[in-house]
Amino acid sequence: MDGINIKQLAEALNLSTSTISRAFRNSSGIKQHTKDLILSKAKELNYQPNHYASNLRDQKSKTIAVIVPELANNYFSQAIHGIEQVARANGYNILIYSTDDDLEKEMDFIKHLHNGRVEGIIMSVSGEAENHNYLNDFGARRLPMVQFDRVYDDIDTPKIITDDYESSFIATEHLIEQGCKRIGYLVVKKDLSIGKTREMGYIDALKKHHINYKEELIIDCSNSYTENDPIIKKALKDLKLDGIFASVERLAFATYYASYDLNIKIPHDLKVISFSSLEIAPLLNPSLTTITQPAVEIGNLSAKLLFDILQDKKEISFAKEKVVLNSKIIFRNSTKSA
Amino acid sequence: MDGINIKQLAEALNLSTSTISRAFRNSSGIKQHTKDLILSKAKELNYQPNHYASNLRDQKSKTIAVIVPELANNYFSQAIHGIEQVARANGYNILIYSTDDDLEKEMDFIKHLHNGRVEGIIMSVSGEAENHNYLNDFGARRLPMVQFDRVYDDIDTPKIITDDYESSFIATEHLIEQGCKRIGYLVVKKDLSIGKTREMGYIDALKKHHINYKEELIIDCSNSYTENDPIIKKALKDLKLDGIFASVERLAFATYYASYDLNIKIPHDLKVISFSSLEIAPLLNPSLTTITQPAVEIGNLSAKLLFDILQDKKEISFAKEKVVLNSKIIFRNSTKSA
DNA sequence: TTGTACGCGTTATCAA
DNA sequence: TTGATAACGCGTACAA
């Protein structure tokens, strides 16, 4: 690092380091002329205040961390985009971590983040374990946090979620109205609260319409296509499904692939609806009926909430509010009745 | 930040701060017993060495920055994933910046990154301006950098790219072989080198097959769907195109939408091929013929190259190598001849 | 094997 | 309006 530091710049200008510092911080208490002089010389010599020194000095990093299960997912990249907008506007940087749905990594990240590196965390969890208490281990040291979408209900932080129950209810009801009798619910990690909530919407819709519900209709998948493919194919064949409600877009895609292979025609033989933030859902063959969450807005809001906490530390312990946003269901050909 | 620091931990154990420090750094020069004691107490009190203090002390941040034009793009999210793998393996963190194709932001990011915050930069450029010299302003202070995919040729850094010329040539030739006579080339920011390279492949393929090439067949688009839609529709109508070679997947999607609206049938009336990292290209209607870059591998390699430089500073000034990886063309229905 | 003391680059406080 | 100084938390040379 052959960068010039504040002392060298001070020498070059025959000024003290404090004056230099002032030129970069307060616009007060310094003559405009001096300030101009300093800034121009700084530009010339390419001086910039050292980030680590500043942060060490005033114990602020102006950085927040964003932890998501995966990056290659439209929903999360849009949410991150939303977070970034707000962070940038507040002069904050974001550090992005992707857990690949691995709890180990998640714990590791969070632990290491508690070293002063960031001022707060925005997270959508991997949700593998039942024991989330590692988050409480930090006690008073726990960083301000906001959870979104995939959340741990037993961890007290503000949470931004969508109306998953209602959306799932409507989605399922829609399939029923289109004539489906045997509707499968495809889910990844069904024990995570978000999966449960959606499952309840699904079950209640079946109930309302007096449709036979069986445990076997809930199909637990993973994030791996190669693992899911046989599972879905088996379900399609053995259970004679005529409708699929997918809780994640990845599973809808896998269903499409499976149907192609098995020569099952969507929507004629099988109707499909899915949670998805895919912008090209209308271009699929057939176009996919989707429940789309306001991902960017969720990101915006999560960040805003975090900054609220950051500005008023007292509130941390009380911040348990839950914000529920509405998803949008768009009907397309994959659920069209003949 | 109510975190405990090294001094407090030392007091709690009746040891000196240096011993504590040693327990976390060198495993040498410290009795195993003492070390165990320290680490267990540290865990209990939730002590972690302050990131900023450590970095300030030894002038290393163990962090690299990744700058990309956009996050909501399969290619870039996959590339980032690839970078992350390598970074993590080397014990480095990554800071992600998205420029939204805005040169201002790009310049801003890079300037602010030169404050010791990161040790190196991996970048795919926005490519708006002709003047990239802001990068050279840093002189000896310039951070180690690796460029990938969208690169500034006039900036000396290692570059990872794909065989864009060859792929474009083959793609165009494929359209010709499928019977296309009037092939349009859709590009964003045609002056960026990557666009130019692809254009050359396109033009040379036309030449080889003695197909009439006209400037008007090169259609300059933007990143905004609302802007592109009328441009593409106009081109489709006025130029009577029967083939489209899209340099970015976004433009292929826009072409699909436009064709739907204009009742142009793909591939019957119009054949489409595109650069794309979309994993569900086979699910489109019709399935899209794609040129797919090895995004994850590109990310891996970029990171590896950067770490090579980081480990041997001397090489920075010589590091001008250019690595060319091969893309893969997969033929699907969007270019099928009748 | 452990402890003492200094410096990394900055900024806030106080004095001039 | 400017300058001197101490302190942020850590790690290392050096001393013990």
Side-chain angles (χ1 to χ4, degrees), chain A residues 6 21 25 47 50 54 57:
Chain A
I6 199 172
S21 182
R25 307 287 131 196
Y47 165 76
N50 180 288
S54 305
R57 178 57 236 242

Side-chain angles (χ1 to χ4, degrees), chain B residues 130-283:
Chain B
E130 275 122 64
N131 180 14
H132 319 132
N133 268 102
Y134 68 92
L135 278 168
N136 290 323
D137 284 350
F138 299 103
R141 253 174 69 78
R142 187 183 345 137
L143 284 172
M145 176 149 97
V146 169
Q147 298 185 68
F148 74 96
D149 203 53
R150 307 196 199 169
V151 304
Y152 290 140
D153 277 324
D154 53 344
I155 300 296
D156 282 343
T157 73
K159 302 180 182 81
I160 320 289
I161 54 173
T162 46
D163 55 342
D164 287 309
Y165 174 83
E166 291 77 8
S167 308
S168 301
F169 188 95
I170 296 174
T172 309
E173 196 163 42
H174 172 63
L175 288 175
I176 296 169
E177 284 163 356
Q178 298 303 103
C180 296
K181 305 273 187 227
R182 299 188 53 83
I183 301 170
Y185 170 57
L186 264 43
V187 60
V188 178
K189 311 206 173 177
K190 64 176 180 182
D191 296 322
L192 194 55
S193 94
I194 194 169
K196 277 283 173 232
T197 307
R198 292 176 180 180
E199 179 180 322
M200 274 169 48
Y202 158 81
I203 292 180
D204 287 353
L206 292 186
K207 273 191 194 149
K208 175 181 167 194
H209 291 268
H210 311 292
I211 300 229
N212 200 4
Y213 157 69
K214 283 180 196 157
E215 181 101 27
E216 60 183 10
L217 291 175
I218 299 196
I219 298 146
D220 205 5
C221 303
S222 77
N223 276 321
S224 142
Y225 173 72
T226 46
E227 281 173 33
N228 290 336
D229 186 55
I231 295 176
I232 292 175
K233 280 181 176 161
K234 187 168 159 30
L236 250 27
K237 284 189 288 197
D238 295 359
L239 302 174
K240 302 202 182 87
L241 302 179
D242 58 7
I244 287 274
F245 168 40
S247 65
V248 187
E249 66 186 17
R250 168 181 293 116
L251 298 177
F253 302 153
T255 301
Y256 270 51
Y257 280 117
S259 301
Y260 286 11
D261 285 351
L262 297 177
N263 205 25
I264 292 174
K265 298 297 174 209
I266 305 174
H268 184 271
D269 308 326
L270 177 74
K271 305 197 199 310
V272 181
I273 188 170
S274 176
F275 274 90
S276 171
S277 291
L278 185 69
E279 278 155 342
I280 54 167
L283 300 186

Side-chain angles (χ1 to χ4, degrees), chain A residues 92-153:
Chain A
Y92 273 65
N93 279 117
I94 69 179
L95 224 32
I96 299 176
Y97 295 85
S98 138
T99 63
D100 292 314
D101 266 308
D102 177 350
L103 182 72
E104 284 292 324
K105 273 200 193 173
E106 181 177 303
M107 290 172 56
D108 209 52
F109 290 159
I110 292 189
K111 212 178 71 195
H112 283 292
L113 249 18
H114 282 255
N115 64 356
R117 189 160 212 194
V118 300
E119 296 176 33
I121 300 176
I122 295 178
M123 158 160 98
S124 200
V125 308
S126 74
E128 254 181 17
E130 275 122 64
N131 179 13
H132 319 132
N133 267 102
Y134 67 92
L135 278 167
N136 291 322
D137 285 350
F138 299 102
R141 255 174 69 77
R142 203 216 289 164
L143 285 172
M145 175 149 102
V146 170
Q147 298 186 68
F148 73 95
D149 203 52
R150 307 197 199 168
V151 305
Y152 290 140
D153 276 325

Side-chain angles (χ1 to χ4, degrees), chain B residues 6 25 47 57:
Chain B
I6 198 172
R25 307 289 132 194
Y47 165 76
R57 175 60 234 245

Side-chain angles (χ1 to χ4, degrees), chain B residues 303-335:
Chain B
K304 272 183 203 141
L305 240 52
L306 184 64
F307 286 121
D308 280 354
I309 301 179
L310 252 31
Q311 267 144 35
D312 183 10
K313 281 256 185 184
K314 280 177 304 182
E315 279 210 49
I316 299 182
S317 39
F318 308 112
K320 305 180 182 189
E321 65 209 291
K322 209 165 184 167
V323 178
V324 181
L325 299 180
N326 292 124
S327 295
K328 215 162 60 186
I329 303 193
I330 300 165
F331 303 110
R332 301 203 182 84
N333 290 335
S334 66
T335 54

